[in-house]
Amino acid sequence: MGSVNPIELGIFIAYLAVLVFIGLKFYNASSDSSEGFLLGGRGLGSWVTAFSAQASDMSGWLLMGLPGAIYLGGVPQLWIGIGLFIGTCVNWKMVSERLRVYTEEVDAITLPTFFEKRYKDPTGALKTISALIILFFFTIYCASGMVSSGKLFSTMFGINYNAAVLIGAVVIISYTFLGGFLAVCWTDLIQGILMVIAIAVVPTLAIIEMHGLGTTRVAMASQHISMSLFGKGVTAATIISAVVWGLGYFGQPHILVRFMGIDSVKDIPKARKIAIVWCLISLAGALLVGLLSIPLFKGLSGGKEETVFILMIHRFFPVWIAGVFLAAIMAAIMSTIDSQLLVCSSVLSEDLSRIIFKKELTDQQAVKVGRWSVIGVSIIALLIAFNGNSTVMGLVSYSWGGFGAAFGPLVLFGLYSRKTSWQSALSGMVVGTLVLIVWKATGLSATLFGTGIYEILPGFVANVVTILIVNRFKTPEAEVVDEFDEMIARYEKARA
């Protein structure tokens, strides 16, 4: 890709200009209050909520990370997709409605604030530590998106990787800085539509051009790549490690905030159906892209396998269509980074503001801090992304596991348990996070058990077990129990 095609470049510039325009459009609406900037006034409709939640969920991982993993490992890598699909369905069913009601009940617009108010932590430790966990893992997560954008631009236009990372970051920062939550969600709607069209159309037309999957099966057999979910080398540990990705959904702040921002609980069933259909189509398309690339692009490794979708688009489509589909990859990348930057912004302007500034901020001050926080976090993520050896899959898996292990049990216990105290929640979160970090850093699973179990599972289980143990010694105040009962009553009324 040594020369820049002017048509592709023009389509890209036009697409990026639209995103910045959306940021400008919502500038005033997001400037009045921190709730407006960070949660859009809780006024999202079903379609925007569904597409925004799924687009911010899947990111460049869907169009680059997963096809690359399937290219290298074959069909067994789809177990990750199966786990994510199950997690999507369960999260929308178990968490979305109750979280929408409960966060409004306690007047919380961020996850750390929800934890503090839900469990009535008098020390502030639950809010502070959860906010720091978000900053740590989301900075790494944002870096994964910037790696994706760098690979996209450098593959398309043959420009320097670091320059490519910087170009993508500038655009994302611009519209997130300007328009806040509403800009992020409406751009996610556009980007979600582009993503699902691209991931459905590209492999379909590739199959037609290749006259079926015959060459793929031959190539997989010759390279000893498994064509079965239960093929050679697939163990129980392999399947478990892949499927438990679904546990991560219960703790992802950038997805959960969409549930908090929807206009009404009654809009959620429709949004849930839209989201599940989107997810099913997208995961099936990613599988096909990875499989079809095996006979087409041989010998890719070292992170270059994550460009197979880009290479397939260039191979089978005329330049003006290719430009649109390549913009869809950028859409996937942006739809997650913008959400993560906004959550980091909310943490610094809402959850840590008293510690940092030694006072409560006014709404206008909180919005300013939120906007500048977007830039600060982006700079750190850029420094991580400038390491050209980083892979999208590696960065995403660590961050995804971190949130699932730290926050997933707290969300579930918070929405379904009357008897969980703030001491239990705090202990569980700390233990779950530490177990995940140690498990990952030391390779404990492979060293002791020879299994390579994904670190989210031991972290999540350690969190749950800790909560259950501490619950036997520490019971919540009567106020906590009464408020939980009020939430359930409001939830039942809202659904009626």
Side-chain angles (χ1 to χ4, degrees):
M1 309 294 170
S3 60
V4 177
N5 187 290
I7 297 177
E8 285 183 355
L9 182 61
I11 291 172
F12 250 75
I13 292 173
Y15 172 70
L16 299 178
V18 168
L19 299 184
V20 175
F21 172 78
I22 291 173
L24 288 169
K25 177 177 174 59
F26 287 110
Y27 180 80
N28 289 331
S30 68
S31 298
D32 294 336
S33 68
S34 55
E35 184 177 37
F37 184 72
L38 300 174
L39 211 58
R42 298 186 195 266
L44 297 183
S46 298
W47 282 90
V48 176
T49 300
F51 272 85
S52 182
Q54 295 312 120
S56 65
D57 164 17
M58 290 301 181
S59 74
W61 175 89
L62 175 71
L63 302 185
M64 298 181 74
L66 183 56
I70 291 169
Y71 170 88
L72 291 179
V75 176
Q77 296 300 316
L78 188 61
W79 281 111
I80 296 175
I82 293 172
L84 290 173
F85 180 71
I86 295 170
T88 295
C89 297
V90 176
N91 198 35
W92 274 95
K93 184 65 178 176
M94 290 185 62
V95 174
S96 58
E97 295 178 353
R98 291 192 179 213
L99 187 66
R100 172 63 178 84
V101 171
Y102 216 143
T103 52
E104 187 172 32
E105 173 76 14
V106 299
D107 190 27
I109 62 175
T110 69
L111 204 57
T113 298
F114 169 66
F115 290 153
E116 180 182 62
K117 293 186 174 182
R118 159 63 181 90
Y119 294 108
K120 298 292 185 287
D121 173 17
T123 68
L126 192 57
K127 180 179 182 178
T128 301
I129 295 174
S130 60
L132 293 173
I133 290 171
I134 286 175
L135 287 177
F136 175 73
F137 284 113
F138 260 158
T139 301
I140 297 172
Y141 215 146
C142 289
S144 76
M146 292 180 183
V147 170
S148 298
S149 67
K151 290 183 177 181
L152 173 63
F153 280 123
S154 60
T155 302
M156 279 185 62
F157 302 128
I159 61 178
N160 175 269
Y161 170 80
N162 287 345
V165 169
L166 190 59
I167 291 170
V170 167
V171 175
I172 299 164
I173 293 167
S174 298
Y175 71 78
T176 307
F177 179 92
L178 291 168
F181 186 77
L182 287 174
V184 166
C185 289
W186 278 95
T187 54
D188 283 354
L189 173 64
I190 296 170
Q191 292 169 165
I193 292 170
L194 264 178
M195 286 167 64
V196 77
I197 291 174
I199 201 66
V201 171
V202 170
T204 300
L205 293 185
I207 289 173
I208 294 172
E209 291 287 337
M210 295 170 66
H211 306 291
L213 293 169
T215 54
T216 294
R217 286 193 291 267
V218 171
M220 291 175 71
S222 66
Q223 297 176 45
H224 306 291
I225 298 174
S226 177
M227 294 180 281
S228 168
L229 281 170
F230 302 95
K232 184 179 179 181
V234 177
T235 64
T238 305
I239 296 173
I240 291 170
S241 289
V243 172
V244 294
W245 275 70
L247 292 175
Y249 275 102
F250 305 125
Q252 303 301 316
H254 59 303
I255 298 173
L256 298 176
V257 74
R258 265 59 182 181
F259 302 155
M260 296 159 63
I262 197 167
D263 184 55
S264 168
V265 170
K266 293 182 179 179
D267 292 327
I268 289 179
K270 179 180 177 181
R272 180 168 59 236
K273 293 175 184 176
I274 297 168
I276 290 172
V277 170
W278 188 100
C279 185
L280 187 61
I281 293 172
S282 299
L283 290 172
L287 168 68
L288 285 173
V289 168
L291 293 178
L292 291 166
S293 297
I294 292 171
L296 293 175
F297 314 110
K298 297 178 181 178
L300 299 178
S301 61
K304 293 192 178 297
E305 70 277 2
E306 294 181 337
T307 66
V308 292
F309 189 55
I310 304 170
L311 298 174
M312 184 177 288
I313 289 171
H314 273 125
R315 181 169 183 133
F316 289 117
F317 295 91
V319 66
W320 63 273
I321 296 179
V324 174
F325 286 156
L326 291 167
I329 302 176
M330 196 63 199
I333 297 164
M334 289 180 170
S335 61
T336 297
I337 302 180
D338 56 18
S339 302
Q340 293 160 351
L341 289 175
L342 199 62
V343 172
C344 291
S345 166
S346 71
V347 163
L348 289 166
S349 62
E350 293 289 317
D351 301 318
L352 296 177
S353 59
R354 178 172 286 277
I355 295 174
I356 296 172
F357 300 102
K358 309 299 183 184
K359 65 176 183 178
E360 290 288 345
L361 301 179
T362 65
D363 276 339
Q364 285 70 28
Q365 287 173 332
V367 172
K368 288 181 180 178
V369 171
R371 285 196 165 115
W372 287 106
S373 298
V374 167
I375 295 177
V377 173
S378 298
I379 291 171
I380 299 173
L382 272 170
L383 295 176
I384 298 172
F386 282 153
N387 175 9
N389 294 322
S390 298
T391 65
V392 178
M393 200 71 169
L395 292 170
V396 167
S397 64
Y398 188 43
S399 304
W400 182 270
F403 286 125
F407 299 152
L410 270 67
V411 170
L412 294 175
F413 276 90
L415 300 179
Y416 285 92
S417 171
R418 300 171 76 245
K419 299 181 179 180
T420 300
S421 64
W422 69 265
Q423 295 96 330
S424 303
L426 179 60
S427 301
M429 180 178 69
V430 171
V431 170
T433 304
L434 290 177
V435 167
L436 173 128
I437 291 173
V438 171
W439 195 275
K440 174 69 173 179
T442 62
L444 194 61
S445 177
T447 302
L448 295 182
F449 312 111
T451 59
I453 291 290
Y454 180 26
E455 59 266 19
I456 190 175
L457 181 59
F460 192 97
V461 171
N463 192 332
V464 170
V465 170
T466 302
I467 290 174
L468 293 174
I469 291 173
V470 179
N471 273 348
R472 297 179 65 88
F473 302 98
K474 293 289 185 179
T475 56
E477 301 292 332
E479 179 187 5
V480 177
V481 178
D482 291 342
E483 186 177 79
F484 181 87
D485 292 338
E486 290 174 12
M487 185 278 293
I488 295 297
R490 284 192 59 187
Y491 166 67
E492 296 296 343
K493 182 179 179 180
R495 295 186 69 205

